[in-house]
Amino acid sequence: MPEELNLNELSRVVFLGLSQNEMFTLNKVAEEETRCFFSLRYTSVSHVGSGDQRHGISSCPPRRLCAVNIAVFWLLGISPPTKKNTLSYKLSRLSRSCVYFLLSCLFFHTVVVLYGAPLLESALETFSLAVLLSTLTTLRCLCMLGPNVQAWIRVFSRDGAMSVWDTSLQITTGCSVVGAWLGAFPIPLDWDRPWQVWPISCSLGATGGFLTGLLVAPIWIRWHRKQLTYKLK
Amino acid sequence: MKLSSSVFSALCLIIELLGIALFLRGFFPLPIKSSLSSKSKSSDLPAEPVLGSSPNSTRVPPPLFNRVVIVLIDALREDFVYGPSGKRFMPYTRNLVESGSSHSFTAKARPPTVTMPRIKALTTGSIPGFIDVVMNLNSQALLEDNLLWQAKNAGKRIIFYGDDTWVRLFPKHFLEYDGTTSFFVSDYTEVDNNVTRHLDSTLKRDDWDVLILHYLGLDHIGHISGPHSSLIGPKLHEMDDVIKKIHTSVITTEAEGTLPNLLVLCGDHGMSETGSHGGSSEPEVNTPLVLISPAFPMKEGMGEPGVVEQVDLTPTLALALALPISQNSVGRLIPAVFQKASVREQLRYLHINGHQLSNLLRDSNPSFHKEDGYEQFRMAEKAHGSWMKLYVEGNTSEVLSNMAKKVLKQYLEALQAMSAALSKQLGKYDMYSMMVGMSLILQILVLLLLAMPEALSGAACVDVPLATTFLSLPFYLLVLLGSSVHVLVCTSSEASCYFCSLPWLLAFVAIIFSSALFCSLVAMAARRSLCKVDNKQPKTSSSEWTLSELDILLLIGTLGHTLSLASSSFVEEEHQTWYFLLNTLCLAVFQDVCRKYFREKRRSGEEEEENLLLPSTVEEKGASFSPVAELGVSADSEKWLALATPLLTLTCCRMLRSLNQTGVQWAHLPDLSHWLNSGDHKVFLSLLSVLSLLLIFLLVQRHCSLVSKIALALGLLGVYSYRAAVGSVLFPWQHSAQPMSKGTGEAHFVYVFVLGILFTGVKDLLRSQVMSSVVDGRRLKSRGLWEVYSGMVLLVALLLRAHNLPTLACCLLIQTLMAQFIWKRLHYDAAQTTIMHYWFGQAFFYFQGNSNNIATVDISVGFVGLESYVEAPAVFLTAFSTYAGPLLWACHLVCYLSSERDRAVSLGHSSYCFALLRSIPAVFYVVLVTALRYHLFIWSVFSPKLLYEAMHTLVTTAVCLFFTFMDQDRTRRP
């Protein structure tokens, strides 16, 4: 990644533009998602027992997010340059990425169940939250770092970031998870609002956290540019 | 004055406890009392209001009923009579309600929905304060004016069968009685048979006027298996038969020429969806009230039953029996009962009731003139007078009846307004006592916070400049100020004030102490800020001291939990907060573990430019004579075990969470404990208990001496046979269905071993003091502590219900694993370990099935191994089993910390942390409750939580004292 190191200033500008661009699209997606969830809740209230329909709607926002994420990263080509360019290598990378994504969905699902989500009841909703969380965290890692666990561990260990991209990845991932964590807070309140129903508030929290992360990351990087450039050497 | 950290924190907690006690005394209002100390007499009755000079009568209207039978069914929920289960199981009663000559109502019980306050409410007509719950186990004779006293005074002969709370409340009131004790919750047939067996002979006799039957069986079934249990149906059938028997023999067959008889069917409180009571949810407060008498018109079809207050029964019965209404009654009569009386009598009844309420209002409220109800009552009285004048003159026109209707309406409105005003009066607080208590605990909190750097320093010593303040001028000025405020408040206030009623010497000592504390706080704060200004050295060192993620989490969790207490939902669902925090804690610990082990691996494997090896990863050899001894595992498997520990903890917590549903919103959801207790799954419950007991034995016996090991094994065997004797689990070779016993013998058997193990432990602790060799003494002390701990475990195993034994086993498993692989290996300091222990303790408090509602306190624990109710052991056992989780974790913390050789001050640090962790929420909550004292949920949500907080502070104080003793003999040792 030498060009990135040398053209530090440039890359930061590009990053800013990108994140704003991406934020814009994501904002739309989040809005849509919110609407989706609301409509889902209302439809489920009005037609009790239409579980399949529910699932169909609720899994759409992560799918769109996936698409947007992958498209953005593909277009900008931030992922580390690969030495081998054969088709089979690409395929194996793709399949490994898919497996990792699935595993991360299962991981998030397990964690959420450990946090107290019902085990059997509304398992589909829980899984949709897990997919959303994976999209916001794992998918970005896959896009930027590839299916390379060592790199992941490096980025997410203390002082492991080696470029602004790594830092932004750290920040957005952390913000998404913390957002989902904070999103669980309103659930016990007795306000009887439709968005308090599991897992809507958590999904909203995760999305909100992610958006905050996108907003905060450039600002934070700009703020700490002295330390960061030092670290990049 | 130099104090070691542990002594300092124990003293702080004791003072805080006194402050909270004073606050509680001021917070829980005393019930409204009429100023007259005597009881109402018939001669006190007001004259009938008549304008002009015509003769007016002061006589009481004649009674409406001859004999009254009151059938009080404990925990009779509204839908047991009016709902579908009433239709199914109580056909006779339902028929009477729907088409008999009866009146049916939904009577609203006031929280706390516990039996004794409800009995008091039904008989005195007043609403007993919340503090009556605390006194529930300690009922003494009721000295207030009440219906039974009035009835007895009027020469009525009263017979009582049922709950012996009545016998204790009303000694010498009954012509004949048979009390059954309500505390053996597992017995639900005998208690009711003891009541019903007298019924036939009593109904044949005619030497009584009032018969009261109090059936407990339904309540006991509710406590055992909830309102949807299969036992409810037969019980309701049985109650229906009782009603039928009474109705056919007393109500329908009456002699000519006498007044009709009355049958009252009521419940004292309802039953929540989990089968308990005490709170204020709809199913708990709604009880049926059915009045059956031939005097009432036949009903056609059942409409929605009208809603009345439970206390309304008291004036209604009093007037219908021509008795004076008891002085403190806040109820108003039920007009439907008096429909058959003449208009003049109806007005007279209303007038008497209004007069009594207005008297009570005048006595309890200095600004009674401004109350709407009082004004309305005066108006109605005047209108009544003019109506009487017309009536006496012989006017029989349409005008008269129209006027009567108007007066009647006016009276009813006035009664309602006065009754509401009186009920509101109950929210009066003794602000002065509350303020004094609050200022005391606030000062303690500030003191604790100011002392933090010193208390957590290496010396673990706190210097409180208490002595020097006695010589300072501000101190004397403050004392003067305090005394003058005290005198001023006490002489000016009209309302009773507890702090003023204390002996003046005591109050003066409190004022002196408070001012001295304040002065020393100021001195400490000044010293701290001077220190900072003087040398920049500590500043730089403090900036070096960074917080890890775990520290941040612990800090945020503690503060966040404290803030969450401001919301009534979060108080109701506090368990969710703790489970959530605990999960996050486990994940954070997991991250730490991963970081440690994967960093190490990377270092040995690939070469990386950054070789950030944490200094803590350097393993110390030789620190192995702890009670948490090495299990003999290799380094590799140790790594995997360490990685698995947080995950296993998470899994355990998730399982325990679904064991007992608590709280309010999701309490009705099915949980494992209901499934296990449902009767069909007794085999599973037995297997689970056996497994849990085995696991408990394996985990606890490791560090005990041989004698204790044997005692522990026998004790756990005794626990199982006790559970088998009470009928909750199956005994393998028990084939014939034995009658349920109380298991006293088995429980005594376990108690002997508990005492034996505790005795061995204490003996070891004492012997370690006089040991010459330091190493031997230390080892002996560790063993002694562990034996005390295992004695506690055995006692908890005996007291917890069978379905809760897995909770205990999981608790021990997590403790062992965490101590072995996490706390020691990751080198968490004493403060971090203490906070984690505190969180685990809190979570286990809720895993056990507790909540912030009085109803979940399992009082049946107080009778394990006791033939009859003995107060001291019952209270102790109940408190111990309720706080078993926090106590076990605290005790484990002592064992763990004293096993660490190189941490001489860790006990002091951890006891300081305990004190601080307890003080922050307690003080915040006290301030909050003061601010929210007119909140809608103050009685149903915040007050019970306040009692829990106070109790928890008491328990923590005991723990801190234990810490202090353990720490003391460490400092004595060179």
Side-chain angles (χ1 to χ4, degrees), chain B residues 99-115:
Chain B
S99 53
S101 51
S102 68
H103 289 299
S104 44
F105 304 96
T106 299
K108 293 247 176 213
R110 288 297 185 103
T113 46
V114 184
T115 298

Side-chain angles (χ1 to χ4, degrees), chain B residues 633-906:
Chain B
V633 283
S634 66
D636 197 43
S637 62
E638 182 201 298
K639 172 184 148 190
W640 291 113
L641 277 172
L643 280 172
T645 300
L647 301 180
L648 194 74
T649 310
L650 278 170
T651 321
C652 277
C653 291
R654 183 66 183 86
M655 273 174 357
L656 291 179
R657 183 193 179 105
S658 47
L659 186 64
N660 287 307
Q661 284 282 1
T662 70
V664 172
Q665 278 194 54
W666 295 282
H668 61 277
L669 292 181
D671 54 13
L672 277 177
S673 71
H674 276 82
W675 187 82
L676 286 171
N677 281 326
S678 60
D680 307 337
H681 308 108
K682 225 174 186 177
V683 183
F684 293 99
L685 184 61
S686 313
L687 276 177
L688 202 60
S689 312
V690 171
L691 283 179
S692 312
L693 288 174
L694 273 178
L695 191 59
I696 291 169
F697 176 70
L698 288 178
L699 290 172
V700 175
Q701 52 88 26
R702 287 173 301 135
H703 312 299
C704 290
S705 59
L706 186 66
V707 183
S708 314
K709 263 180 207 175
I710 296 167
L712 188 71
L714 286 174
L716 290 173
L717 210 62
V719 168
Y720 190 79
S721 53
Y722 169 74
R723 284 292 154 201
V726 256
S728 42
V729 295
L730 292 171
F731 219 46
W733 46 87
Q734 177 190 41
H735 292 298
S736 59
Q738 278 182 354
M740 252 188 238
S741 78
K742 287 166 187 167
T744 325
E746 287 86 349
H748 283 173
F749 179 75
V750 183
Y751 281 138
V752 167
F753 287 111
V754 171
L755 290 179
I757 296 175
L758 285 179
F759 176 75
T760 332
V762 172
K763 192 191 73 189
D764 280 353
L765 282 180
L766 291 179
R767 261 179 55 204
S768 73
Q769 302 284 312
V770 293
M771 212 71 146
S772 53
S773 150
V774 177
V775 177
D776 278 353
R778 200 179 287 278
R779 184 170 296 156
L780 205 58
K781 187 182 164 192
S782 290
R783 204 176 72 184
L785 269 174
W786 190 267
E787 272 162 354
V788 170
Y789 171 72
S790 52
M792 280 175 66
V793 169
L794 184 55
L795 186 56
V796 172
L798 173 67
L799 296 181
L800 285 185
R801 300 265 182 113
H803 69 263
N804 268 336
L805 284 175
T807 319
L808 181 60
C810 282
C811 169
L812 297 176
L813 185 68
I814 294 173
Q815 281 173 355
T816 313
L817 289 177
M818 288 293 245
Q820 188 71 39
F821 298 110
I822 304 292
W823 290 315
K824 213 152 150 207
R825 296 276 178 266
L826 296 188
H827 301 270
Y828 290 134
D829 64 17
Q832 285 171 326
T833 320
T834 309
I835 299 177
M836 286 190 225
H837 270 90
Y838 181 80
W839 284 19
F840 270 106
Q842 283 304 99
F844 272 88
F845 177 74
Y846 294 105
F847 282 143
Q848 265 172 260
N850 288 320
S851 73
N852 283 329
N853 190 335
I854 298 285
T856 47
V857 177
D858 184 8
I859 50 164
S860 65
V861 165
F863 301 87
V864 172
L866 297 176
E867 283 292 353
S868 62
Y869 177 66
V870 191
E871 187 166 345
V875 169
F876 171 77
L877 289 177
T878 311
F880 185 80
S881 85
T882 308
Y883 284 92
L887 276 172
L888 276 183
W889 278 92
C891 196
H892 180 264
L893 183 63
V894 182
C895 292
Y896 169 71
L897 287 180
S898 35
S899 74
E900 300 283 288
R901 183 176 48 175
D902 45 333
R903 295 181 184 178
V905 290
S906 54

Side-chain angles (χ1 to χ4, degrees), chain A:
Chain A
M1 300 153 259
E3 40 306 73
E4 269 178 45
L5 292 180
N6 298 338
L7 304 172
N8 195 9
E9 208 65 40
L10 182 69
S11 76
R12 210 177 299 137
V13 174
V14 171
F15 177 77
L16 274 173
L18 156 70
S19 53
Q20 264 151 22
N21 178 19
E22 192 182 3
M23 206 173 66
F24 182 63
T25 34
L26 266 174
N27 229 335
K28 273 190 178 167
V29 171
E31 253 172 43
E32 215 163 306
E33 179 200 10
T34 320
R35 222 176 304 129
C36 249
F37 268 119
F38 276 112
S39 64
L40 132 80
R41 196 43 59 185
Y42 293 137
T43 49
S44 78
V45 167
S46 50
H47 323 284
V48 181
S50 51
D52 45 348
Q53 184 197 353
R54 252 160 123 179
H55 175 228
I57 299 172
S58 61
S59 63
C60 72
R63 219 185 295 147
R64 283 182 206 180
L65 263 180
C66 283
V68 169
N69 243 332
I70 293 173
V72 165
F73 284 107
W74 188 292
L75 283 176
L76 288 152
I78 312 161
S79 51
T82 49
K83 284 146 208 162
K84 289 180 240 169
N85 243 345
T86 59
L87 184 69
S88 65
Y89 181 72
K90 272 187 178 169
L91 270 181
S92 89
R93 270 175 69 92
L94 189 67
S95 59
R96 263 191 19 221
S97 299
C98 286
V99 168
Y100 279 20
F101 186 74
L102 201 67
L103 281 180
S104 102
C105 288
L106 287 178
F107 169 76
F108 275 117
H109 189 93
T110 319
V111 168
V112 168
V113 166
L114 286 177
Y115 261 100
L119 190 63
L120 303 172
E121 205 184 319
S122 67
L124 284 177
E125 280 89 338
T126 311
F127 193 71
S128 102
L129 174 68
V131 172
L132 178 71
L133 274 173
S134 310
T135 316
L136 295 180
T137 56
T138 320
L139 192 69
R140 286 176 69 84
C141 297
L142 284 171
C143 287
M144 285 170 70
L145 305 168
N148 178 0
V149 182
Q150 286 302 327
W152 291 21
I153 290 176
R154 172 182 60 78
V155 169
F156 287 104
S157 56
R158 213 176 277 163
D159 310 319
M162 284 170 60
S163 69
V164 280
W165 301 108
D166 290 353
T167 316
S168 86
L169 190 65
Q170 277 179 353
I171 291 173
T172 44
T173 308
C175 281
S176 312
V177 173
V178 171
W181 190 77
L182 289 174
F185 280 47
I187 296 178
L189 293 171
D190 57 356
W191 298 340
D192 286 334
R193 293 298 139 96
W195 51 266
Q196 275 179 298
V197 180
W198 171 254
I200 297 181
S201 60
C202 284
S203 308
L204 291 180
T207 321
F210 180 58
L211 292 180
T212 324
L214 285 183
L215 195 70
V216 163
I219 300 172
W220 195 87
I221 289 167
R222 173 136 190 89
W223 197 261
H224 292 267
R225 59 181 182 277
K226 293 268 162 54
Q227 288 107 309
L228 281 175
T229 45
Y230 169 70
K231 209 195 305 168
L232 284 172
K233 274 173 202 167

Side-chain angles (χ1 to χ4, degrees), chain B residues 82 92-105 247 251 262-263 289-302 336-337 339:
Chain B
Y82 303 144
Y92 191 83
T93 315
R94 189 55 184 257
N95 189 32
L96 284 177
V97 166
E98 279 174 4
S99 53
S101 51
S102 68
H103 289 299
S104 44
F105 304 96
H247 188 250
I251 305 300
L262 174 70
L263 168 61
L289 172 63
V290 186
L291 304 168
I292 305 160
S293 170
F296 301 142
M298 295 290 264
K299 269 217 258 181
E300 277 159 29
M302 189 182 128
V337 176
Q339 262 168 6

